[in-house]
């Protein structure tokens, strides 16, 4: 059974060659046959010279990586319809979009896009020696949104979207086969639209990703195709990683892969961003390889963290038990996203202030402080320090609001002032993660943007708390990016469409 570890480089990871060697070493040492590089726009394709963000992986890095690790298959995971957003939101890439300034899918009815897909496949095959070439295909939720697609697919089949999907992907998969390689594609769209599987070349490998339970129910639906069972480390929805959910998912997928005699096992590891560095989960990667061989392997996931076990227990088990925003859910971690993604950390206060009320803040800090105490290295410590700063930021905002509501502007400002330094220290953690393991460059900027916004909000409190407007804007209004003095009714909010 083929064992793959897939690393997600698309969340702004910027690995040096040494970092790539480090990933490959972990993969090899753990017993994986292959290292998957999930790329999206983070590969410097010659066909898209306009998409090479700073730190994108280069063809030369791949040549070196392949030469240095000849026994490890380096599998490219490229995206040729959905998850094209890193291209679509550049000036040159916007012409390929399915919808205007929305979503993450390109238009399969745009001949220029189809031609670009062909160029990307040809280039990928020329650079990567891997037998398997994974061409994406997941999460194409915008199928048939544009008028060109609607006209094309009308009346073509009972399930027109399935038709559109397979019309796009069948020739691309065949192109990989014609080059003497084996194509691979994610399975989710076939599960959603079974008719999409018609005409898909039977030599295609289906990567069936199921992040809860296993693939027992889904893999048999791909009868006639070789299937790879894909569990994940539950990170995208976690403060750090949900231990129990990860353990169940990996063990169940491994068991199903054995029971159903599947072609392989691929541990997907997604979204080590928002100040959660990749190297903090490396022990889980090694553990999953052993479980893939033996689903009943006696070592538990948390035990596999060795000297970091106490740290992992605090952040991966105890924090989850706090419930609320810390619980395992199907949603990306809301507190982290609201603090860091939109450039306005006060959104986190608006939605999650109950996390630091009624003594909950002390309980959270106790768990996080414990993890700091036990953190054996920089990668673990940085996760903990970032989480502590996030909880402290919520506490600061909540206290500042109380003073603001009580018309104590000086007290509100003096509460908010240290929050600037919190985000400064978060930016430093981001920089360390970037230098140590090629972590997100955007994380550093996110923290700087948040800090600037806090300064703006402090100034607004100075300017408007004295009654100058004749009314006191609600705290979430004053701290919003779109706050406009005298727009008491918030027409920027009432007319949300004008901001789309
Ligand atoms: Zn279209």
């Amino acid at each position: 059974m083929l064992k793959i570890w897939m690393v997600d480089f698309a969340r702004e990871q910027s690995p040096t060659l040494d970092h790539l060697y480090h990933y490959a070493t972990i993969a090899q040492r753990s017993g994986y046959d292959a290292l998957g590089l999930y790329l999206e726009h983070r590969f410097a394709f010659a066909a898209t010279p306009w998409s090479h963000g700073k730190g994108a992986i280069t063809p030369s890095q791949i040549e070196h990586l392949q030469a240095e690790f000849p026994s490890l298959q380096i599998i490219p995971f490229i995206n040729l319809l959905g998850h094209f957003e890193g291209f679509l939101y550049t000036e040159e890439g916007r012409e390929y979009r399915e919808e205007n300034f929305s979503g993450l899918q390109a238009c399969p009815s745009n001949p220029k896009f189809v031609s670009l897909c062909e160029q990307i496949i040809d280039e990928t095959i020329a650079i990567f020696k891997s037998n398997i070439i994974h061409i994406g295909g997941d999460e194409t939720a915008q199928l048939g949104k544009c008028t060109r697609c609607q006209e094309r697919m009308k009346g073509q089949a009972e399930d027109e979207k399935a038709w559109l999907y397979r019309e796009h992907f069948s020739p691309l998969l065949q192109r990989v086969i014609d080059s003497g390689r084996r194509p691979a594609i994610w399975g989710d769209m076939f599960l959603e639209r079974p008719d999409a599987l018609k005409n898909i070349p039977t030599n295609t490998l289906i990567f069936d990703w199921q992040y809860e339970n296993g693939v027992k129910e889904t893999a048999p639906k791909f009868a006639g195709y070789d299937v790879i069972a894909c569990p994940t480390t539950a990170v995208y929805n976690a403060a750090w990683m949900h231990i129990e959910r990860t353990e169940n998912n990996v063990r169940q997928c491994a068991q199903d892969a054995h029971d159903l005699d599947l072609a392989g096992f691929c541990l997907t590891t997604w979204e080590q961003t928002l100040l959660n560095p990749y190297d903090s989960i490396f022990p889980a990667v090694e553990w999953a390889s052993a479980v893939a061989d033996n689903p009943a392997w006696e070592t538990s996931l948390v035990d596999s963290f060795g000297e970091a076990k106490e740290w992992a227990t605090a952040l991966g088990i105890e924090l989850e038990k706090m419930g609320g925003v810390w619980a395992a859910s199907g949603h990306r971690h809301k507190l982290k996203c609201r603090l860091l993604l939109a450039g306005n950390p006060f959104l986190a206060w608006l939605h999650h202030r109950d996390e630091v009320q009624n003594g909950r803040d002390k309980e959270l800090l106790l768990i996080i402080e414990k993890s700091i105490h036990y953190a054996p290295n920089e990668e673990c410590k940085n996760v903990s320090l970032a989480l502590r700063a996030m909880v402290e930021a919520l506490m600061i905002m909540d206290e500042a609001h109380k003073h603001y509501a009580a018309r104590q502007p000086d007290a509100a400002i003096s509460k908010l002032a240290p929050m600037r330094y919190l985000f400064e220290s978060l930016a430093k953690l981001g920089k360390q993660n970037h230098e140590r393991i090629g972590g997100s460059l955007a994380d550093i900027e996110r923290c700087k943007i948040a800090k600037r916004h806090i300064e703006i909000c402090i100034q607004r409190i100075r300017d408007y708390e004295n009654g100058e407007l004749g009314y006191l804007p609600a705290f979430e209004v004053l701290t919003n990016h779109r706050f406009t003095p005298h727009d008491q009714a918030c027409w920027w909010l009432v007319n949300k469409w004008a901001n789309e």
Side-chain angles (χ1 to χ4, degrees):
M1 185 175 75
L2 184 73
K3 280 198 301 179
I4 307 165
W5 169 32
M6 190 220 75
V7 178
D8 172 12
F9 287 101
R11 295 318 136 216
E12 321 106 21
Q13 311 289 328
S14 316
T16 62
L17 186 57
D18 280 344
H19 295 142
L20 290 175
Y21 284 175
H22 191 38
Y23 282 105
T25 303
I26 299 283
Q28 199 158 55
R29 195 180 67 198
S30 306
Y32 288 95
D33 306 298
L35 174 67
L37 308 185
Y38 180 86
L39 298 167
E40 291 187 12
H41 56 292
R42 297 299 286 158
F43 187 76
F45 294 105
T48 61
W50 39 267
S51 74
H52 302 181
K54 191 175 172 182
I57 297 174
T58 63
S60 147
Q61 285 180 322
I62 298 303
E63 276 170 31
H64 283 99
L65 188 63
Q66 292 178 143
E68 197 70 23
F69 295 86
S71 62
L72 190 67
Q73 197 181 159
I74 308 294
I75 302 178
F77 284 65
I78 56 178
N79 286 68
L80 300 179
L81 191 59
H83 282 294
F84 210 68
E85 61 267 29
F87 299 95
L88 301 179
Y89 292 113
T90 68
E91 181 57 28
E92 291 85 351
R94 64 201 288 272
E95 64 172 315
Y96 303 109
R97 67 198 172 190
E98 177 66 16
E99 288 182 277
N100 192 22
F101 199 39
S102 167
L104 41 80
Q105 192 194 301
C107 174
S109 304
N110 178 344
K112 276 185 79 177
F113 173 64
V114 174
S115 158
L116 180 63
C117 291
E118 291 167 353
Q119 290 173 57
I120 289 176
I121 286 180
D122 294 351
E123 214 182 302
T124 303
I125 285 170
I127 294 162
F128 288 83
K129 295 177 185 164
S130 162
N131 180 41
I132 297 170
I133 305 290
H134 194 301
I135 65 168
D138 61 325
E139 301 189 327
T140 56
Q142 290 166 281
L143 283 171
K145 291 280 186 189
C146 86
T147 49
R148 185 151 46 172
C149 283
Q150 278 166 17
E151 280 166 21
R152 208 175 127 227
M153 71 191 198
K154 199 166 178 224
Q156 292 287 354
E158 203 174 315
D159 185 344
E160 291 169 343
K161 289 182 184 178
W163 177 86
L164 189 63
Y165 184 88
R166 67 177 191 251
E167 279 290 297
H168 179 69
F169 277 107
S170 289
L172 297 175
L173 293 162
Q174 190 57 47
R175 194 176 185 90
V176 175
I177 295 171
D178 293 345
S179 310
R181 309 292 182 91
R182 180 140 200 216
I185 192 166
W186 298 111
D188 55 317
M189 294 312 292
F190 301 118
L191 294 173
E192 197 177 313
R193 306 192 166 276
D195 279 358
L197 206 49
K198 283 180 192 167
N199 311 342
I200 295 295
T202 48
N203 193 30
T204 302
L205 261 177
I206 310 278
F207 279 58
D208 183 13
W209 58 274
Q210 301 297 332
Y211 299 157
E212 280 184 76
N213 305 316
V215 297
K216 198 171 16 185
E217 308 294 324
T218 50
K221 293 182 180 170
F222 302 108
Y225 293 88
D226 283 345
V227 175
I228 306 276
C230 307
T232 197
T233 40
V235 162
Y236 71 99
N237 58 354
W240 166 60
M241 175 176 75
H242 294 296
I243 289 276
E244 194 187 328
R245 187 180 272 223
T246 302
E247 173 141 16
N248 290 341
N249 182 223
V250 170
R251 283 197 194 271
Q252 196 59 59
C253 282
Q255 187 63 56
D256 295 344
H258 284 269
D259 292 348
L260 300 170
D261 197 20
L262 300 182
F265 169 98
C266 174
L267 177 73
T268 64
T269 54
W270 298 103
E271 302 191 13
Q272 294 289 161
T273 184
L274 302 181
L275 302 166
N276 188 359
Y278 246 111
D279 39 1
S280 71
I281 63 151
F282 281 168
V285 171
E286 197 168 344
W287 170 86
S289 173
V291 171
D293 292 336
N294 173 14
W297 197 49
E298 60 274 16
T299 304
S300 71
L301 173 55
V302 77
D303 281 342
S304 74
F305 274 81
E307 61 173 352
K309 181 186 169 182
E310 303 298 331
W311 172 82
T313 303
L315 295 191
I317 297 172
E318 291 173 23
L319 205 48
E320 181 189 318
K321 286 189 181 144
M322 290 295 293
V325 80
W326 313 98
S329 76
H331 207 286
R332 200 159 276 122
H333 199 269
K334 291 180 179 175
L335 174 61
K336 287 207 266 185
C337 289
R338 287 190 167 118
L339 273 174
L340 292 166
L341 280 190
N344 176 11
F346 291 92
L347 292 173
W349 170 81
L350 179 61
H351 294 280
H352 304 293
R353 58 185 182 270
D354 55 340
E355 289 291 345
V356 293
Q357 293 172 346
N358 303 317
R360 207 170 149 74
D361 48 350
K362 289 187 187 66
E363 285 179 68
L364 289 169
L365 284 180
L366 208 63
I367 294 171
I368 296 168
E369 290 288 353
K370 187 162 79 177
S371 77
I372 292 170
H373 175 75
Y374 285 115
N377 51 37
E378 184 177 278
E379 50 269 33
C380 292
K381 192 163 244 169
N382 281 6
V383 177
S384 300
L385 292 174
L387 288 171
R388 183 173 68 182
M390 292 177 196
V391 171
E392 285 175 346
L394 266 186
M395 292 163 65
I396 285 174
M397 289 185 280
D398 204 37
E399 285 166 17
H401 166 248
K402 286 185 188 121
H403 289 296
Y404 178 80
R407 305 252 178 175
Q408 297 160 344
D410 290 342
I413 289 166
S414 67
K415 280 288 169 201
L416 281 180
M419 194 169 152
R420 293 174 300 172
Y421 303 112
L422 272 186
F423 277 88
E424 230 174 63
S425 63
L426 284 173
K428 280 184 195 143
L429 296 176
K431 193 156 179 289
Q432 285 173 2
N433 294 338
H434 170 67
E435 285 165 1
R436 195 185 60 256
I437 193 65
S440 167
L441 278 172
D443 274 356
I444 304 167
E445 300 303 319
R446 287 175 177 130
C447 298
K448 290 185 192 165
I449 290 169
K451 183 184 169 225
R452 279 201 294 276
H453 187 64
I454 295 158
E455 283 162 358
I456 289 168
C457 291
I458 288 174
Q459 187 58 45
R460 286 178 186 165
I461 295 175
R462 278 203 186 99
D463 290 348
Y464 303 116
E465 175 96 48
N466 60 6
E468 136 117 22
L469 296 174
Y471 67 97
L472 186 66
F475 195 56
E476 62 267 33
V477 172
L478 185 89
T479 54
N480 196 284
H481 272 128
R482 297 172 191 92
F483 165 70
T484 309
H486 309 294
D487 181 2
Q488 188 171 343
C490 294
W491 264 44
W492 52 266
L493 180 64
V494 175
N495 293 286
K496 265 187 185 158
W497 59 270
N499 182 48
E500 279 163 8

